[in-house]
Every structure is written in structure tokens, then in C-alpha cells.
Amino acid sequence: MNLQDYIRTINDFPKPGVVFKDITPLLNSPEATTACLNQLLAMLGDQKIDKVVGIESRGFFFATLMAQKLNAGFVPIRKPGKLPHTTIKRSYALEYGDDHIEMHIDALEKGDRVLLHDDVLATGGTAKAACELIEHLGGHIVQCNFLMELEFLNGRNKIANYDVQSVLKF
Ligand code: AMP
């Protein structure tokens, strides 16, 4: 099965110039979803994980599936103002201006072995901010894995000190 066939490319979404990678065809296929999940887990190997951290919102799908398979907890990283309890925050640069992401202050135990996941690694700004949140709470980042990586944006350079893996490269 070629998982690339299940990624739909939409030009100029959500704004002109962006080539959007849509994972909904993949999620719509149980066979492709299972194959993708197995590839993500294979990249991790038999490393022990305590928490899988997923980035809002498309990172949640496979992060929760992986957490269940790994018998690990799932932790959401969310956009501003969505998490109800006390949070810690990190800002990251956007094309114009900046934004921030949040995580619950009690989401990790010190020393937790963490797998960070998102659907797309683009410029790497979001993933870098997510790594900072995880480490601020004392988590140890075992791997950052992604469904796909937009290689021309060199996002992995921003998180070069971690093990960075992706199922598909564009
Ligand atoms: P970045 O911080 O630039 O690495 O952007 C990563 C975040 O933006 C991820 O949460 C992705 O879901 C989303 N994203 C960025 N570029 C794309 C794209 N071309 N297609 C789909 N999602 C994207």
C-alpha cells in the first residue's frame, strides 16, 4: 500500500501560496490508517514511552492511537485558551507575527519518556515550541515523529537535537 495515495494536496488553502496536505482520505480508510499507525510505531521500535504528546488538532488522531498501542498516556498540546486547567505556554513565530501553544501544567511527571507527534512537520516552529513545553515540565523526548515532512522547509533543523522521524517526505 502506498500511503502517499491517501494524502490529498489542496493548493492555496487556507491562504494563497500554501500547499495543504489533507490527511482526511487516509483517516477515511481503516486499512491505510492501520498501515500508517504500524509505520509510526515501527520508527519508534521497542523504546519505552510513558506519554504521547499530540499537537492540536490533526496531531491528535495518531497520537491517541499510538498512546493506546504503547500503553502510554495521551497529552494534548492546544492552541491558546482551549485547555481548562492551569497551563504553561510557549510562543512560536508565524509568517506574520507569532502565536502560542499550551499544555496543562500537570500533564507530565518529571522524567517521563515522551513521544511527540504531529501530522505535518513544516517550518518546525510548532514542534520546537512543543519540545520546550515538554522539557519545561521535566519530560525526556525520546522521538519526534510525524506523518509527513515538507523537506523543502527544513523544519528538522529547528529540532535537530532530537530523533526526528516521518512516514512520508514531500
Ligand atoms: P510548522 O510550525 O511550520 O512546522 O507547522 C506545523 C503545523 O502546521 C502542524 O500542526 C501542521 O498541521 C500545520 N501545517 C503546516 N503546513 C501544513 C501543510 N502544508 N499542510 C497541512 N498542515 C500544515
Side-chain angles (χ1 to χ4, degrees):
M1 169 179 295
N2 187 355
L3 291 179
Q4 211 149 317
D5 296 343
Y6 292 84
I7 306 295
R8 180 163 53 192
T9 298
I10 314 254
N11 290 320
D12 299 318
F13 181 87
K15 53 185 182 184
V18 177
V19 179
F20 191 85
K21 297 294 184 188
D22 175 24
I23 62 169
T24 61
L26 190 148
L27 294 168
N28 208 328
S29 160
E31 295 82 11
T33 298
T34 301
C36 184
L37 175 61
N38 289 339
Q39 288 196 39
L40 284 164
L41 291 169
M43 297 188 308
L44 183 68
D46 57 8
Q47 302 184 85
K48 183 184 174 312
I49 296 295
D50 298 304
K51 302 276 167 60
V52 182
V53 175
I55 301 178
E56 179 171 351
S57 57
R58 292 179 298 275
F60 291 172
F61 305 122
F62 282 96
T64 47
L65 292 173
M66 284 193 284
Q68 206 206 18
K69 286 275 184 195
L70 294 165
N71 196 28
F74 165 74
V75 173
I77 282 187
R78 298 210 62 180
K79 307 259 165 69
K82 303 282 189 182
L83 288 170
H85 184 51
T86 308
T87 60
I88 57 166
K89 308 173 181 25
R90 276 291 175 282
S91 28
Y92 58 100
L94 294 174
E95 201 176 346
Y96 302 110
D98 57 13
D99 205 349
H100 73 268
I101 50 174
E102 302 182 351
M103 184 161 67
H104 273 153
I105 194 152
D106 57 356
L108 298 177
E109 307 275 332
K110 273 198 176 46
D112 267 352
R113 293 173 57 82
V114 173
L115 170 62
L116 175 68
H117 171 79
D118 201 0
D119 66 332
V120 175
L121 175 63
T123 66
T126 315
K128 180 169 185 277
C131 289
E132 288 169 3
L133 287 176
I134 292 164
E135 289 186 336
H136 185 79
L137 291 185
H140 166 70
I141 298 165
V142 175
Q143 185 176 91
C144 304
N145 77 22
F146 302 87
L147 223 144
M148 69 197 112
E149 175 175 356
L150 307 180
E151 287 186 300
F152 61 97
L153 292 172
N154 297 315
R156 65 168 54 231
N157 290 350
K158 284 213 180 76
I159 45 173
N161 43 335
Y162 305 107
D163 175 23
V164 178
Q165 303 284 341
S166 54
V167 175
L168 298 170
K169 294 180 170 58
F170 290 92

